[in-house]
C-alpha cells in the first residue's frame, strides 16, 4: 500500500523562485491537508480540502496556493519563495467517516536560500 | 482559539523507565484527543485516541486518559524501549471540525531512550 506519497523529498530554492510540492493518496480519502513543521513549533495547517474542487485556508496560508482537481491529488504551490518558507512540509489525508486518523506522507524538506 | 500545550523536551530516559509526557488543552466544546508519533525520517502516525471524557486510549503499551476536569491527556508507558525514541505530538480535533477533520497539534516532545 502506497498510502500518501509526497515529492520531492528534498529541495533547495533560491529566493523568488516558485515550485510545486506534489501529494497523492491511493486510499480514496475525501479530506486532504498540508501542514508545515518548524522546530519547536509543532505542525501548522496551511490549506485543506474536503473533496475534489473544494479547498480552504488553514492557519498559515500566506505565500501558498493549492488546487484539488481530483480526489487523489492535492499539490501545494509556493510562489515567490522566501526564507520564512524553509520548513518540512507534510501532506495528510483522512477518510470521510474517520475523525482524527490522519495518514501522513514522509514529508518534503524545503530550504530557501 | 483552541490550543494544545505539551511539556518541553527532550525527555531522556533509560530503557525500562516509566514515561509520562504531559499534554493539556484549551477547547470550545468537546474535542477528540490524540497522540501521534513521528519516528526519525518519517511522517506522523496515529498512536492512540480518545473521543470523550474518561475514555482511555491505548496502543503498543502506551496509554492516555481524557480528563475533562483537568483538560489533560497525558501519555504514559510503564517501560520504555530504545525503539520508542521518537517525537510525540498531542493533538485535538478543531472545534467544528466534524466535517473537515482538521487537527490542532502541540509543539511535540522528543523522547530519547538510552540502553
Amino acid at each position: 500500500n502506497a498510502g500518501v506519497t509526497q515529492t520531492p523529498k528534498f529541495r533547495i530554492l533560491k529566493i523568488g523562485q516558485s515550485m510545486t510540492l506534489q501529494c497523492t493518496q491511493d486510499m480514496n480519502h475525501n479530506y486532504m491537508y498540508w501542514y508545515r513543521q518548524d522546530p519547536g513549533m509543532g505542525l501548522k495547517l496551511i490549506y485543506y480540502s474536503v473533496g475534489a474542487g473544494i479547498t480552504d485556508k488553514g492557519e498559515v496560508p500566506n505565500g501558498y496556493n493549492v488546487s484539488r482537481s481530483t480526489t487523489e491529488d492535492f499539490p501545494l504551490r509556493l510562489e515567490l519563495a522566501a526564507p520564512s518558507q524553509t520548513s518540512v512540509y507534510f501532506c495528510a489525508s483522512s477518510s470521510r467517516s474517520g475523525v482524527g486518523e490522519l495518514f501522513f506522507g514522509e514529508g518534503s524538506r524545503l530550504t530557501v536560500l | 482559539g483552541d490550543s494544545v500545550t505539551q511539556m518541553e523536551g527532550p525527555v531522556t530516559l533509560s530503557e525500562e523507565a516509566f514515561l509520562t509526557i504531559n499534554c493539556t488543552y484549551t477547547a470550545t466544546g468537546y474535542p477528540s484527543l490524540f497522540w501521534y508519533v513521528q519516528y526519525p525520517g518519517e511522517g506522523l502516525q496515529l498512536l492512540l485516541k480518545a473521543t470523550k471524557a474518561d475514555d482511555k486510549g491505548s496502543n503498543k503499551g502506551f496509554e492516555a486518559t481524557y480528563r475533562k476536569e483537568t483538560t489533560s491527556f497525558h501519555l504514559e508507558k510503564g517501560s520504555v524501549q530504545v525503539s520508542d525514541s521518537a517525537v510525540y505530538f498531542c493533538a485535538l480535533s478543531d472545534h467544528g471540525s466534524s466535517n473537515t477533520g482538521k487537527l490542532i497539534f502541540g509543539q511535540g516532545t522528543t523522547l530519547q531512550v538510552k540502553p
Side-chain angles (χ1 to χ4, degrees):
Chain A
N1 287 340
V4 178
T5 303
Q6 292 180 235
T7 57
K9 289 191 181 347
F10 303 94
R11 182 73 185 268
I12 297 175
L13 282 181
K14 294 182 179 178
I15 294 172
Q17 287 186 320
S18 299
M19 75 160 296
T20 299
L21 298 176
Q22 301 291 345
C23 175
T24 187
Q25 51 92 8
D26 62 359
M27 296 174 282
N28 200 33
H29 285 170
N30 277 340
Y31 304 137
M32 295 189 75
Y33 313 87
W34 275 106
Y35 285 90
R36 59 178 287 172
Q37 182 182 29
D38 300 305
M41 300 295 290
L43 278 76
K44 302 294 185 185
L45 183 64
I46 305 171
Y47 270 96
Y48 68 98
S49 170
V50 300
I54 306 169
T55 62
D56 207 349
K57 296 178 180 179
E59 187 179 358
V60 290
N62 291 343
Y64 306 95
N65 277 300
V66 294
S67 60
R68 185 93 183 272
S69 57
T70 67
T71 299
E72 295 78 18
D73 300 309
F74 191 43
L76 178 71
R77 178 81 177 163
L78 283 72
E79 304 282 1
L80 299 175
S84 61
Q85 294 177 304
T86 294
S87 189
V88 180
Y89 292 84
F90 287 99
C91 180
S93 72
S94 178
S95 68
R96 183 199 305 264
S97 59
V99 175
E101 182 156 17
L102 271 58
F103 293 83
F104 283 82
E106 293 185 348
S108 299
R109 182 176 294 276
L110 175 67
T111 302
V112 182
L113 300 175
Chain B
D2 295 357
S3 65
V4 176
T5 303
Q6 295 180 229
M7 64 187 288
E8 296 260 347
V11 174
T12 303
L13 296 173
S14 297
E15 209 164 21
E16 299 184 2
F18 184 85
L19 168 71
T20 300
I21 299 178
N22 291 337
C23 171
T24 57
Y25 68 90
T26 302
T28 305
Y30 304 97
S32 295
L33 300 173
F34 310 88
W35 277 100
Y36 277 77
V37 59
Q38 183 182 29
Y39 297 105
E42 299 183 9
L44 283 71
Q45 54 186 277
L46 180 65
L47 180 60
L48 54 84
K49 69 179 183 181
T51 58
K52 61 183 186 296
D54 300 325
D55 266 4
K56 178 186 283 187
S58 61
N59 186 25
K60 299 181 181 179
F62 291 89
E63 293 183 340
T65 301
Y66 189 162
R67 302 285 188 199
K68 184 170 178 290
E69 63 277 12
T70 55
T71 61
S72 65
F73 192 55
H74 305 321
L75 182 68
E76 296 182 335
K77 187 175 185 183
S79 176
V80 294
Q81 305 300 313
V82 172
S83 57
D84 293 326
S85 297
V87 182
Y88 292 81
F89 292 90
C90 187
L92 63 77
S93 55
D94 190 14
H95 177 61
S97 70
S98 58
N99 61 344
T100 67
K102 291 187 294 180
L103 297 186
I104 294 172
F105 288 88
Q107 71 268 39
T109 302
T110 299
L111 170 66
Q112 298 173 337
V113 180
K114 298 188 174 182

